Amino acid sequence: MAQTSTIARGGDTSPAPARHRSGRPRRRGALSPKAVPYVLLIPGLLVIAALLLYPLYQMADMSLHKVGLRQIRPNPQPAEFVGLGNFTQVFEADLFWTSLRNTVVFAAVTVALTLVAGTLVGLLLHRLGKKMSAFLIVGIMAAWATPPTASAIIWKWLFDSDAGVVNWMLDLLPDGVSSLLFGRSDWSGHPWLNDATTIYLVLVVAVTWASFPFIAVSVLAGLKSIPSELYEAARVDGSTPVKTFTRITFPLLKPVFSVLLVLSIIWDFKVFTQLYVLAGGTTNREAFNLSLWAYTEAFSAPPKMGIGAAIAVLLTAIMLVITAVYVRQIVRTEDVR
Amino acid sequence: MNPRTAKRLRGFGLNGLAVAVFLVAVFPVYWMVATAFKPNDEIFTTRFIPFPLAPTFDHVSRVLTKGVAGHSIWQYLANSAVVAVGTVLIGSLFALLAATAVARFRFRFRTSFLILLLIVQMVPGEALLIPLFLMVRRLGMYDQLIGLIVVNVGFTLPFAIWMLRTFVAAVPKELEEAAAIDGAGRFVTFWRVLFPLVAPGLVATSIFSFITAWNELVFALTLINDQGKYTMPVALQFFTSQRSTDWGGIMAASTLMTIPVVAFFLLVQRRMVTGLVAGAVKG
């Protein structure tokens, strides 16, 4: 951490505890020390409660009601309670299974690719010289900083059927190789963004491109915290790079990796903006993931907000179940500190 | 091969790899900018044209003068800026207070609060959109930039607190105690001692919040109806019609939207890395 040097210089530790325990004179009207953290938390808690928790409750409540245009008009009519009816409807829809599959497969593939690519680049950054490392960080930052809407538009353009760079590159492959690999040799005019499968292919590329930099710099920071003696010892013992990674780097960086894993899962499970742009809005139903489906049900005419809410509840529940183990682990290591 | 040559070769290979990764990362961004400066006949071709052969400002000037959807691009950029800056100002203050509580004090609900921070991040924004839409409308903030600011504060706050608390924890407690012994009140201690030392962390979280709010599409799309109040991500959607896309225009506008973010990033790059990483790595 950058501030450690200040600790050494500024921290005069010896006399403090004794005097501290005797307590400073409490001024009149000052808060009791016990109340301070709660007071500090109030504004943040209020925001979280009002803008996240209460809506979350409303979402759950809505998922049990039939909510349509009449219930959201300025003078609303009461919503009819339908129990688990919305959920039954969701499970019975064919779209549920395609959206679920799209959501899960996309997240699994993208999280894996992002973590692997990010870790490899992090390891590379660690081994580079100072200048080269700074140069590469600036480069990957550009990818990271590009707004999701802009980056989705860029990838849409790179994969354009006629003028896209990707089709041009694939056409450069010798015809034999191309036919052997993909079963076709002529790529000009190949549309990528009409079909759900290839939309997701582009989405995987776009999201991985945008998110591996965060993993890379995080891994780099983790690597910097590992004492170099460990690596020297490993080298003396003739350890291979792979062994060094699995025996030293990975175990020591495990907390870092679990945070990165949870965050990646959270981000990739509910990817919306990029899919919305790549799939061209809400018309291609085959390309829905759960987020986009929930949005479409709730906001395209006629609005079925109860159904939308039910889908959102399911998505949140799936994410909670998947990340529960890691969240526990993160919180446990947190308490030690 | 002697060890010196081997080392040099390996260094060469690593640097080559670094250049390759750099190119992969930067190429799409470069391609956006290059397309913005290409005349239409260089845009709509199956040939590969690595850089604008006859560079033109047509798209840029068209976007700057005519805008899109009947409003100037500056209007959209200004709206985005208002939303992003507003989110940063309110969000950072609240985040700093909460982060101080979590990092400095052991209290009963501390762990529960940390779990809460992680869990609320899992809720998909598109889901809360429905209740938030109703709430914002009830509060009379529908179609107002302030409504967007409020919603963005809510969505950036949990991660901002999560990130900032490691910075607060890194400031030695003894400094504050020393100040207290010298008779400084709690507020003075906070303002004079803690605040300056946490400043780099605040910069990092502010940038995070700024970028999130600047980039946000879904809420801006649903909570704003008046075209004059659209933010950039929403405005970008209007370069595409049912039949065609104005690729030159959309690339010029995307570049305009990306420039402030990337510039911001590169300016504070080092702090940003320390900051974001501190949040993820937990010091």
Side-chain angles (χ1 to χ4, degrees), chain B residues 38-47 49 54:
Chain B
K38 280 179 183 175
N40 272 336
D41 61 328
E42 287 180 29
I43 293 181
F44 300 104
T45 171
T46 47
R47 273 192 310 147
I49 302 172

Side-chain angles (χ1 to χ4, degrees), chain A residues 295-320:
Chain A
Y295 174 83
T296 311
E297 288 291 341
F299 283 95
S300 49
K304 291 183 215 132
M305 301 215 159
I307 303 271
I311 301 167
V313 167
L314 287 173
L315 174 59
T316 314
I318 296 171
M319 273 164 44
L320 273 176

